[in-house]
Amino acid sequence: MKDNDIKTGSDLTSIFEAIASSNNSYGISNTWKKVVSKIGKKDEEDDESLTIGEKLALNSHVVDLKNGILLVETTHSGWIQYLRMNQKFILKGLQWASPELNIKNLAFRVSGSKANICDDYDTSMKKLAAESDKKMEEQEKLLNKLNEKQAEKESSNKGGLPPEMIARFERLKADMLTNSEK
């Protein structure tokens, strides 16, 4: 190995990323088109007509693959319906054609939409946990207020009765409890 063959770390990283993204995205797109175009039957009478799968392949393309989820973009929401109806077939075909991609699920969006596959699972889970904690705190505050109101109501009720009446009620309560145990 010669000294002039050695590149900087950033150069090597960018070269590997470029190679991986160009080969991987081309491979995924190619596999997508092949699998989707197999959906439906060809009309034997009309040689020029396209199958529904071929139309789907023309009106959809792969956008992203993360965490086993393949994000596909379509030109119209109607195509998403057809893709969802054939999702099991498409997944099986993709898994058979490219097992190394480890595709577990499909996600769809219409062209122009900003929907993405979540970049960082931990970040999204932390956000959900924070929202959940906030809701729990709000509910806890509300429950505390209700408990305080109930306690005030009970204390004001007891404060309104004369002490000898409260004592009689306590004795009556004790007698009822002891009589029921016999």
Side-chain angles (χ1 to χ4, degrees):
M1 182 185 272
K2 298 177 186 174
D3 287 337
N4 59 359
D5 288 341
I6 299 173
K7 302 273 185 184
T8 65
S10 63
D11 289 343
L12 289 174
T13 303
S14 63
I15 290 169
F16 284 125
E17 285 175 355
I19 291 170
S21 67
S22 66
N23 289 341
N24 198 14
S25 65
Y26 177 73
I28 295 170
S29 294
N30 226 12
T31 304
W32 171 259
K33 299 286 183 193
K34 286 179 185 175
V35 170
V36 172
S37 63
K38 291 180 183 176
I39 297 170
K41 295 181 181 177
K42 190 94 168 159
D43 188 1
E44 294 175 12
E45 295 174 8
D46 188 6
D47 290 337
E48 294 181 18
S49 69
L50 298 174
T51 65
I52 188 66
E54 292 167 337
K55 291 176 184 177
L56 283 168
L58 291 172
N59 288 287
S60 64
H61 65 276
V62 174
V63 176
D64 199 3
L65 173 63
K66 285 187 186 167
N67 302 323
I69 300 171
L70 187 67
L71 179 61
V72 177
E73 189 173 79
T74 64
T75 57
H76 189 273
S77 60
W79 295 120
I80 293 174
Q81 289 296 333
Y82 280 110
L83 291 168
R84 285 199 193 282
M85 286 189 292
N86 294 288
Q87 187 165 349
K88 285 184 183 179
F89 175 84
I90 295 168
L91 271 173
K92 291 280 185 197
L94 291 171
Q95 290 165 349
W96 182 80
S98 298
E100 70 279 0
L101 295 177
N102 198 23
I103 298 171
K104 297 174 187 163
N105 204 354
L106 301 175
F108 305 104
R109 75 177 187 195
V110 178
S111 294
S113 170
K114 302 258 190 229
N116 279 329
I117 298 174
C118 183
D119 290 332
D120 187 5
Y121 178 77
D122 291 333
T123 304
S124 64
M125 291 308 293
K126 286 177 185 177
K127 184 179 177 183
L128 285 173
E131 289 173 3
S132 178
D133 289 344
K134 185 178 177 182
K135 285 181 183 178
M136 290 290 284
E137 287 174 11
E138 289 172 1
Q139 290 176 349
E140 199 171 296
K141 286 178 184 177
L142 181 64
L143 187 59
N144 287 339
K145 285 181 183 179
L146 290 173
N147 285 339
E148 287 173 7
K149 285 181 181 179
Q150 184 66 27
E152 286 175 16
K153 200 177 202 182
E154 288 175 3
S155 67
S156 67
N157 219 4
K158 285 184 179 178
L161 293 176
E164 61 259 0
M165 186 70 107
I166 292 173
R168 285 186 186 184
F169 280 133
E170 291 299 324
R171 273 186 268 139
L172 182 61
K173 182 177 168 182
D175 287 342
M176 287 172 38
L177 291 175
T178 55
N179 287 337
S180 66
E181 290 175 0
K182 291 179 183 178

